[in-house]
Amino acid sequence: ENQLTQVETNGHAMAAYMMSVGLWVCALAFCLRYLLTEYHGKLKNGFAWWASKESVLALLAAASAVVLVGMLHVFNGFEPERFGETMLAAVIAAEAFMAIMYFFNVLLGKVGSFIMLIFMVVQLAGSAGTYPVELSGKLAAKLHWYVPFTYTVEAFRSTISGGRPIGNYLVYLILIFIVFSLLTVLLFQVRAKRLKDGKRTLYTYMEMHGII
């Protein structure tokens, strides 16, 4: 046995797990309420369409992270060893989660939100947020390094208890943000072109049939 850090309370031990859940649910709830596909004015291109919504989503994601960490600190006595890095990890995680939600909601509407809710349950098992991955089932162990929660949990654990550096985890989350943002821009670009040509899109079809 080799003890790397000391965690004073069970609340601090569980915080990494539940902070990840909180940020994910916040992104999910906002995307359910915010009109992600409406465009006011002249439709220019996919990037402009994406940016008109991302300007709001990015601010809300950052605000949710700051409020989450701040409220835990003020009302629950949350005292991570590296407070600044905890806040940074929370902001980057929130932006990555919001980018994922943005893409799937634009692609499939509320069906996308439902899929993301199911994916959250998968992440609860695969991220090893409560017990080490070595004590989890075979499926959870195989999923471990393929779900975003793994990287947020590991990053938060390190900043809360003063463990290893978090640079690699943040890079992974930033890549998630970039990839899903580019996918959303591409999706909007294809959709904008079809709308200009007077053609239907998958989203339009789903609206017509009451799927979203």
Side-chain angles (χ1 to χ4, degrees), residues 175-191:
L175 286 175
I176 287 179
F177 171 79
I178 293 173
V179 168
F180 278 94
S181 294
L182 290 176
L183 287 173
T184 308
V185 171
L186 178 62
L187 179 60
F188 272 138
Q189 184 63 36
V190 172
R191 189 171 293 174

Side-chain angles (χ1 to χ4, degrees), residues 18-147:
M18 297 312 300
M19 286 167 65
S20 300
V21 175
L23 293 173
W24 186 270
V25 171
C26 179
L28 177 63
F30 188 74
C31 286
L32 278 170
R33 302 296 301 171
Y34 188 60
L35 300 176
L36 295 172
T37 58
E38 285 196 359
Y39 190 90
H40 300 288
K42 185 178 179 180
L43 184 60
K44 297 179 181 179
N45 53 53
F47 179 81
W49 198 349
W50 168 83
S52 68
K53 305 299 180 181
E54 177 62 21
S55 58
V56 176
L57 294 176
L59 287 175
L60 180 100
S64 69
V66 172
V67 170
L68 173 67
V69 177
M71 295 282 277
L72 286 173
H73 174 67
V74 173
F75 294 104
N76 294 94
F78 181 54
E79 294 288 351
E81 288 289 327
R82 305 200 298 262
F83 194 94
E85 287 189 31
T86 301
M87 187 70 76
L88 175 63
V91 170
I92 293 177
E95 298 291 351
F97 291 171
M98 191 69 81
I100 296 172
M101 295 296 173
Y102 191 5
F103 172 72
F104 280 99
N105 275 269
V106 169
L107 179 65
L108 299 171
K110 290 183 174 59
V111 175
S113 292
F114 178 73
I115 292 173
M116 289 298 96
L117 181 61
I118 300 300
F119 184 52
M120 184 185 75
V121 176
V122 173
Q123 293 192 89
L124 295 179
S127 63
T130 50
Y131 299 102
V133 68
E134 291 80 5
L135 300 179
S136 304
K138 292 182 179 180
L139 178 59
K142 290 179 180 179
L143 292 172
H144 184 61
W145 293 111
Y146 296 98
V147 295

